[in-house]
Amino acid sequence: TAPGHKGQLVFGTLEGKNFNFNSGKNIVLSPYLTEEYDEEEGYIQVGGDLFECSLVFGADVESVIIKGLTFHNHDKTIISVMGSNDITIEDNVLFMEVTPEDNYGNAIYLSGPVSNIKIDSNAIFMDATASAYGINLMSYGAETNPTDIAITSNRIEMDGDFQSGMVEAIYLSNPTNLVVEDNIITVNTVNDVFAYGIQIADDVQY
């Protein structure tokens, strides 16, 4: 679970660690601990790169800032937001390799009725030999649609080299109050691999 108010955890370079947040609010994960965050925040300071690490936020988590981190993952989703609210992901660098060891891979995965999500000024680089998604918002079957989603000023580069499948920089299912602007997207594929810069789906909901 998340650290308590005014709590602080400090790490250097991390490898093979999974951070699972089941509940909590006002959480900052960043190499910077600056005065712009008030003293009620719970801080996790990471001073180095993260290798084969993941961040998972459950439905009872809100008000999270993930800023200034660098990830290097292989077949492992980097950031998962599972029904959480008020999540900011900004100024991070995400390197990910996706192989047939997994069915598909996500750099940033959002699921369920998420709201107030800001994904801004990140750099995402994916090298895929299986289906891959840079930012993947899946809300099929959720009781309410995801709302207030802003995906802005990100750089996403996707390379897919395999026989058949899908490579998508941004996939969004049933969003409302959506802003997608000023992103720079490059998707390269070969063979029978479908390539999408941005896809917005209107799935049947309850």
Side-chain angles (χ1 to χ4, degrees):
T1 58
H5 291 309
K6 300 184 182 180
Q8 178 177 335
L9 295 174
V10 180
F11 299 98
T13 299
L14 291 173
E15 183 170 357
K17 303 297 182 182
N18 301 320
F19 291 87
N20 295 294
F21 297 84
N22 300 315
S23 62
K25 62 181 180 178
N26 300 329
I27 302 163
V28 176
L29 298 98
S30 177
Y32 326 112
L33 298 185
T34 66
E35 295 180 358
E36 69 179 286
Y37 307 125
D38 66 44
E39 63 179 5
E40 293 300 316
E41 308 287 1
Y43 293 113
I44 298 178
Q45 182 179 12
V46 182
D49 289 9
L50 296 96
F51 296 87
E52 305 301 332
C53 295
S54 65
L55 307 177
V56 180
F57 301 93
D60 293 326
V61 176
E62 61 180 306
S63 300
V64 175
I65 297 172
I66 306 163
K67 182 174 183 178
L69 301 178
T70 299
F71 295 85
H72 308 260
N73 276 21
H74 171 96
D75 287 333
K76 188 176 192 176
T77 298
I78 296 173
I79 299 172
S80 298
V81 179
M82 313 299 288
S84 315
N85 300 311
D86 191 18
I87 308 294
T88 297
I89 303 169
E90 63 180 357
D91 295 323
N92 302 285
V93 180
L94 290 73
F95 296 97
M96 186 168 179
E97 181 181 0
V98 181
T99 75
E101 293 178 17
D102 205 350
N103 290 329
Y104 65 92
N106 307 285
I108 298 174
Y109 178 71
L110 305 105
S111 177
V114 297
S115 65
N116 195 19
I117 304 296
K118 176 184 177 184
I119 302 175
D120 178 70
S121 300
N122 301 282
I124 299 173
F125 304 97
M126 299 187 75
D127 187 5
T129 54
S131 292
Y133 300 83
I135 299 171
N136 187 5
L137 169 61
M138 290 291 293
S139 69
Y140 183 77
E143 295 183 0
T144 60
N145 289 347
T147 187
D148 298 325
I149 312 294
I151 301 173
T152 57
S153 302
N154 299 283
R155 176 185 175 189
I156 305 175
E157 297 186 7
M158 314 277 292
D159 288 297
D161 187 356
F162 49 102
Q163 290 300 312
S164 64
M166 191 87 66
V167 172
E168 302 194 38
I170 299 174
Y171 175 83
L172 305 169
S173 171
N174 302 305
T176 58
N177 297 332
L178 169 70
V179 175
V180 180
E181 64 182 12
D182 296 330
N183 299 285
I184 299 173
I185 295 172
T186 304
V187 180
N188 297 310
T189 63
V190 298
N191 301 318
D192 293 325
V193 176
F194 294 98
Y196 292 89
I198 302 172
Q199 182 181 183
I200 300 176
D202 184 11
D203 298 322
V204 175
Q205 298 289 83
Y206 291 127

